[in-house]
């Protein structure tokens, strides 16, 4: 992930190409430089190459789930730095607590729109 | 809609609630009235207005005024206001009230579905220690009976809890009920709700240490705005705080308030106005 000027980087991790496309459009409008990964393992590879500033993270994905990715990320060198915002249909209190305990900053329950992403990123101090 | 029907709606909203409705915005008026017409079993908006003319039912008239009111709200709308209120204003007022053991009384006037008052309640719950044991009484009011019913239940949609509410507070203060989120009884018990028309005589309400009336008077015509702001002034304790929307200005011909420097939308009572009153 190449940094351009002062743009902050956001890694979108979701196995749905449509969701990645929608989220990319919203986050590019918020001045983020975007990278995409389709599962947790691919996301880890991105992070090992260059830690993003923010990660927008789905929960249910093949190969490695979002929560497993987050727990692994926090053990990686520099892996404590990125702010992680979950974006998932998993909206039980237990799931949300598990995400917060694993180090997530915010949590978006799908379906989402641009206003919700903007509000949540603002709450997480990302805007 | 026919012009005479539009004129009737505009006059009804102005006379009953001081609402400023642009008669040229036909689409806006129709889009707000259509759900009410459907809900109350009318075939169309003209049918509903015909019933209003024929029967002159007070209930239907108020339902139309309520439908025309903009009930836009969110948890922690303008978060810096809440930070200031809980970190500075409330502890300051609590220290002043401590010797008399009087509770702090806070009123969210025109609070729509209650997110503003619940935001404050959660903040107060978190900083209770900073208030030195001084009790806080929270009151919410709105013109809309339906809004008050919703606020009272404390039940919000997923969309509503994602607008402004930090996720940590969602899991700490809400319980999930199917696809909705229910405010915890502990927070709900902190607030009391009541339908109030701000154009009515507000004297029986007593005095408040803090009145939040955000993004309410901006919906009103100039005469009603002045009337509401002048009506609220005696309801505010001499050292109390009026909180309007950041873009709203409390200046009236009688100037009952003084702006707080560097805090857009925040006002204290003008001692000179009090003396004159």
């Amino acid at each position: 992930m190449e940094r351009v000027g002062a743009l902050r980087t956001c890694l979108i991790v979701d196995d749905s190409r449509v969701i990645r496309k929608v989220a990319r459009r919203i986050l590019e409008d918020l001045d983020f430089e975007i990278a995409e990964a389709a599962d947790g393992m691919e996301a880890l590879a991105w992070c090992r190459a260059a830690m993003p500033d923010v990660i927008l993270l789905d929960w249910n994905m093949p190969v490695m789930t979002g929560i497993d990715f987050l727990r692994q990320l926090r053990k990686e060198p520099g892996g404590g730095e990125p702010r992680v915002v979950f974006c998932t249909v998993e909206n039980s209190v237990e799931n949300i607590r598990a995400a917060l305990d694993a180090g997530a900053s915010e949590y978006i329950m799908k379906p989402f729109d641009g206003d919700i992403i903007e509000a949540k990123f603002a709450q997480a101090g990302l805007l | 809609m026919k012009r005479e029907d539009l004129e009737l709606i505009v006059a009804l909203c102005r006379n009953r609630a001081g609402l400023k409705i642009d008669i040229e915005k036909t689409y806006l008026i129709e889009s707000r009235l259509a759900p009410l017409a459907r809900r109350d079993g009318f075939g169309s908006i003209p049918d509903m207005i015909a019933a209003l003319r024929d029967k002159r039912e007070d209930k239907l008239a108020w339902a139309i005024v309520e439908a025309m009111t903009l009930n836009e709200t969110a948890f922690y709308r303008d978060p810096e206001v809440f930070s200031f209120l809980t970190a500075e204003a409330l502890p300051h007022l609590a220290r002043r009230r401590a010797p008399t053991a009087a509770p702090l009384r806070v009123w969210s006037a025109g609070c729509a579905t209650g997110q503003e008052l619940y935001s404050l309640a959660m903040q107060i719950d978190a900083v209770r220690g900073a208030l030195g044991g001084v009790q806080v009484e929270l009151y919410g009011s709105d013109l809309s009976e339906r809004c008050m019913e919703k606020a009272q239940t404390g039940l919000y949609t997923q969309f509503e809890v994602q607008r402004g509410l930090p996720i940590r507070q969602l899991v700490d203060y809400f319980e999930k009920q199917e696809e909705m989120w229910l405010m915890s009884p502990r927070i709900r018990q902190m607030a009391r709700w009541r339908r109030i028309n701000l154009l009515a005589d507000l004297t029986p309400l007593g005095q408040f240490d803090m009145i939040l009336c955000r993004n309410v008077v901006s919906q009103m015509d100039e005469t009603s705005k002045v009337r509401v702001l002048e009506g609220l002034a005696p309801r505010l304790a001499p050292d109390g705080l009026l909180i309007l929307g950041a873009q709203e200005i409390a200046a009236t011909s009688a100037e009952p308030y003084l702006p707080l420097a560097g805090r857009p939308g925040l006002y204290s009572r003008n001692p000179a106005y009090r003396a004159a009153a």
Side-chain angles (χ1 to χ4, degrees), chain A residues 91-93 96-97 100 105-111 113 116 119-120 123, chain B residues 158-159 161-168 170-172 174-176 179 181:
Chain A
N91 58 9
S92 71
V93 171
I96 298 172
R97 282 199 191 282
L100 292 172
S105 300
E106 260 299 336
Y107 202 102
I108 295 167
M109 296 176 277
K110 290 176 181 170
D113 61 14
I116 288 176
K120 288 289 184 180
Q123 278 160 29
Chain B
Q158 182 169 295
F159 178 76
V161 298
Q162 296 215 87
R163 293 186 66 204
L165 186 67
I167 196 70
R168 178 69 70 180
L170 179 70
V171 292
D172 285 350
F174 287 78
E175 180 188 312
K176 193 156 187 286
E179 293 310 306
W181 292 84

Side-chain angles (χ1 to χ4, degrees), chain B residues 221-236:
Chain B
D221 61 62
E222 201 55 31
T223 309
S224 303
K225 175 185 166 183
V226 170
R227 191 168 145 195
V228 167
L229 290 172
E230 291 187 353
L232 290 177
R235 299 303 107 229
L236 194 61

Side-chain angles (χ1 to χ4, degrees), chain A residues 24-87:
Chain A
R24 169 187 279 272
R25 197 175 303 148
I26 293 167
L27 288 163
E28 281 179 343
D29 283 348
L30 295 173
D31 285 339
F32 282 93
E33 188 196 356
I34 303 300
E36 296 181 22
D39 61 64
M41 199 59 85
E42 198 183 319
L44 269 182
W46 268 112
C47 292
R48 284 169 182 152
M51 281 294 170
D53 297 303
V54 195
I55 300 170
L56 187 73
L57 182 62
D58 188 17
W59 190 293
N60 294 311
M61 292 178 289
V63 187
M64 182 186 271
T65 65
I67 192 76
D68 288 342
F69 159 78
L70 176 55
R71 288 174 180 142
Q72 183 58 41
L73 173 74
R74 295 310 192 203
K75 295 177 190 163
E76 298 283 323
E81 292 299 318
R83 310 295 292 273
V84 173
V85 177
F86 263 97
C87 184

